[in-house]
Amino acid sequence: QVQLVESGGGSVQAGGSLTLSCTASGYTYDSICWAWFRQVPGKERERVASIENGGRTTYAESVKGRFRISKDTDTPSAGLQMNALKPEDSAMYYCAAGPLGPMGCGFGYWGQGTQVTVS
């Protein structure tokens, strides 16, 4: 059974930085894609960043130049370095993972979420 465990959320002042981490256990696929999503109550979930098995990254426009996604194949784990945080970055952040298939990355596994609050 695949489990994703996140850590690193918290409260920070605007302009500050936080690093989120997500570690997978029980993952046995040959490939892995990672993504970070965030959600604010009453709003749709937004994909913040993703990194494919080969290392290609994508970012939401709202975080480009401020956030950086990374992965460690050996663990396996992923991180999200968040700099120059803004109050609008406040949300519950979720990591997601899954194998790379013929249709692209499938994020079938999710963490429990970690709260980020920027004041």
Side-chain angles (χ1 to χ4, degrees):
Q1 182 178 357
V2 177
Q3 289 189 322
L4 303 183
V5 178
E6 299 139 340
S7 61
S11 298
V12 66
Q13 289 190 339
S17 299
L18 280 175
T19 300
L20 306 182
S21 299
C22 182
T23 302
S25 61
Y27 193 91
T28 60
Y29 295 95
D30 292 335
S31 64
I32 187 167
C33 305
W34 293 93
W36 288 93
F37 292 79
R38 67 186 180 188
Q39 189 167 25
V40 175
K43 292 190 176 182
E44 288 190 2
R45 187 170 55 196
E46 173 190 23
R47 176 155 51 171
V48 174
S50 61
I51 184 166
E52 295 181 2
N53 188 63
R56 187 175 76 166
T57 58
T58 58
Y59 296 91
E61 285 296 325
S62 59
V63 306
K64 276 184 180 178
R66 300 188 297 122
F67 289 14
R68 178 178 173 272
I69 188 171
S70 61
K71 67 183 180 77
D72 182 332
T73 304
D74 293 335
T75 311
S77 62
L80 185 68
Q81 176 68 42
M82 304 184 293
N83 300 318
L85 283 161
K86 304 175 182 180
E88 52 264 42
D89 294 319
S90 297
M92 184 71 78
Y93 283 72
Y94 299 89
C95 73
L100 178 64
M103 300 298 290
C105 292
F107 299 110
Y109 303 102
W110 291 79
Q112 79 285 359
T114 185
Q115 180 68 40
V116 171
T117 303
V118 185
S119 59

